[in-house]
Every structure is written in C-alpha cells, then in structure tokens.
Amino acid sequence: MAKEKATPPVKKKVTTEKKDAKAKEPTTDQEAVTDEKTAKTLGQPAEKKPVAKKKVEEATEPSVSSAKEKKVAEAKASSAKKKAVDEEKAEPKVAEPSHVEWAKNPILKPRIEKVTVNMSVGQSGKPLEQATTILQQLTNQKPSRRQAKKTIREFGVRKGESIACLVTLRKEKAEEFLRKALQAVENKLSKYCFDRQGNFSFGIKEHIDIPGTKYVPELGIHGMDISVSLGRAGYRVKHRHRVKSRIGKDHLLTAEEAILFIKDEFDVEII
C-alpha cells in the first residue's frame, strides 16, 4: 500500500488569506489619493497626508547629521592636538641670569677693549696746542692729531689741516680714566648711548668737571667726547692679520649685557 502524503493545501490557504488581507489594507499613498478624489467631489480642500518619501528623508537625515557631527568632532580634536604641539614648541627655554652665566663661563663676561678720548677744536694753532696739553695731563699719554677730510670755507677749515687730538687708552689706564670721566657726568648715562654691539659714548662739556683737574687760565676750558668699546674673550679672531673669521651670534655682546656690566662694575645709573 502506498504511504499517505501530508496535506500542504492548508498552508496555501493561510498564505493566500494573508495576501488578501494585505491587499485589502489601503496604503498611505492610496489613502491620500482617495481623500483627494472625495475632496474634489465635495468641493473642499483636501488634507494632504505625508507620502512615504518623507519617511525615507526622515530616515536619512539623522545618519547625515551624525556623520557631520563626527567630522566636526574629529576636526576639533586634531586642532586641539596641533595647538598643544605648537604651545610645546613655542615655550621658550628659561634663560639663566647673566651673572650666573658669567660665573659659570668667564669667557662670556664683558670687558673693556679700549677707551677713546677725542677733543675737537675745529682749528689749528694755539687752541689745538692747548687741547693737546690738557689731554696729555689727563691721560699721561701723548695724543695724536687728526686732520680735516675736506675744506669748509664757512668755518675756515682747509683739507688736511689739523683740527683735533685723540688718545686711545687700554687695560688699566682705560678703566682708571673711565671712572673719573663717569664721575664728571654724576655716574648717569642714557640708555640711548648704547648701540647694538654694547659700545657706548658720552660727552663732557668742561674738562674741569673731571675730579683732580684744576682750572688754568692759560689753557682755558675744553670739552671732549669719550667712546668706550666693549668686548669678550675671543674677539681677537676678527682683528688678527692671519686667518680672520667671524664671531658667532651667540658670542656677540648685546646692549642689555653691556648695561648690566656697566651698572655692576662702575655703579652707573641708566636713565
């Protein structure tokens, strides 16, 4: 006898019933169309119901916004990292005071290379001779004369005529004379007297202001210009005759260091 087969038609009926129920249920699009038709027949404006496309748009909007938020967050994080790196790079190293550096490395301490004293009379003859004698008495050194570079008729100066005398002092003589000259200006200097390399100049209107000098009617009163050149150990490299070379930037003297050196060594007030 043949085996009895299972009866699948029951399942088919269930599936067909589900399909019929779905077909009977009106979709949102169909409902909107029917509402429009009824409104036309009655002459009333139909209320438009949202179509399925809007649902799709609403579904896509949150995903787009979330992607934008992620990008913005990533950009902010990267910018914050860059700022942190830049701040680390921009943080300057804490520089030690000059006194500490000079104590550790004496080569960096400034020193007086030379002091130049110039007395310009503007004419030859008796005034120039008086100036040379005064300068020789002050410095205990024979001054050298300087000639005019060009002719100036208004002042009665001819080219090649001796119109000034000059003395260059070094080492101990330079320091001794500089201390006396600073007392003549009451130990006060302007910050504008210093240049970028740390050298400075100042003037004395009357030579009798220098302590230890007396007025002599035969010699009169003369003024003078004093120029001080500062340097460091190793500056000889740019002045020697053989194998000259440049001085490194780190070893060059600055105006701030020169002011500090003059304050400490000569008790000068900077105005």
Side-chain angles (χ1 to χ4, degrees), residues 46 52 72 98 120 131 138 147 155 175 207 225 235-236 243 258 262:
V72 171
S98 299
S120 181
L138 290 173
Q147 290 76 30
F155 297 102
E175 289 187 9
H207 76 280
D225 299 320
Y235 269 40
R236 177 182 170 275
V243 197
I262 294 299

Side-chain angles (χ1 to χ4, degrees), residues 2-16:
K3 292 180 181 179
E4 290 182 0
K5 294 181 180 180
T7 58
V10 178
K11 290 182 181 179
K12 287 182 180 179
K13 285 180 182 179
V14 175
T15 53
T16 52

Side-chain angles (χ1 to χ4, degrees), residues 151-165:
T151 301
I152 303 173
R153 292 182 181 178
E154 290 80 4
F155 297 102
V157 177
R158 298 187 308 273
K159 185 178 179 180
E161 183 183 2
S162 297
I163 58 172
C165 57

Side-chain angles (χ1 to χ4, degrees), residues 205-220:
K205 292 181 180 180
E206 297 179 353
H207 76 280
I208 57 175
D209 292 336
I210 297 172
T213 58
K214 295 180 180 180
Y215 172 69
V216 180
E218 297 174 356
L219 298 176

Side-chain angles (χ1 to χ4, degrees), residues 12-189:
K12 287 182 180 179
K13 285 180 182 179
V14 175
T15 53
T16 52
E17 285 176 1
K18 287 182 180 178
K19 286 180 181 180
D20 294 336
K22 285 182 181 179
K24 286 178 182 179
E25 289 179 357
T27 59
T28 54
D29 297 337
Q30 289 175 356
E31 287 177 0
V33 173
T34 52
D35 290 339
E36 286 178 1
K37 287 180 180 179
T38 53
K40 284 180 181 179
T41 54
L42 297 172
Q44 295 177 356
E47 292 181 359
K48 292 184 179 180
K49 292 184 179 181
V51 192
K53 290 182 180 178
K54 289 185 179 179
K55 291 182 179 180
V56 176
E57 290 177 358
E58 289 175 358
T60 55
E61 279 178 1
S63 62
V64 174
S65 63
S66 62
K68 286 182 180 179
E69 288 176 358
K70 285 181 181 178
K71 287 182 180 179
V72 171
E74 289 176 359
K76 286 182 179 179
S78 61
S79 64
K81 287 180 182 178
K82 286 181 181 179
K83 283 181 181 178
V85 172
D86 293 338
E87 287 177 357
E88 288 177 0
K89 289 181 179 178
E91 282 180 0
K93 294 180 179 179
V94 178
E96 293 182 354
S98 299
H99 298 288
V100 179
E101 290 182 359
W102 297 344
K104 288 181 179 178
N105 192 357
I107 293 174
L108 295 176
K109 187 177 180 179
R111 64 184 183 186
I112 295 171
E113 296 288 336
K114 62 181 179 178
V115 175
T116 306
V117 186
N118 180 33
M119 295 181 74
S120 181
V121 181
Q123 58 182 346
S124 60
K126 189 177 179 180
L128 184 59
E129 290 177 0
Q130 291 175 350
T132 52
T133 54
I134 289 169
L135 195 56
Q136 189 169 1
Q137 289 176 1
L138 290 173
T139 59
N140 295 324
Q141 192 169 318
K142 186 178 180 180
S144 62
R145 297 190 177 185
R146 292 291 182 265
Q147 290 76 30
K149 294 183 178 179
K150 60 182 180 179
T151 301
I152 303 173
R153 292 182 181 178
E154 290 80 4
F155 297 102
V157 177
R158 298 187 308 273
K159 185 178 179 180
E161 183 183 2
S162 297
I163 58 172
C165 57
L166 180 141
V167 168
T168 302
L169 303 172
R170 299 178 189 274
K171 296 182 179 180
E172 294 179 358
K173 284 186 177 181
E175 289 187 9
E176 288 177 5
F177 180 80
L178 183 58
R179 290 184 189 278
K180 292 179 181 179
L182 289 171
Q183 288 177 10
V185 292
E186 298 178 353
N187 286 335
K188 291 181 181 180
L189 289 176

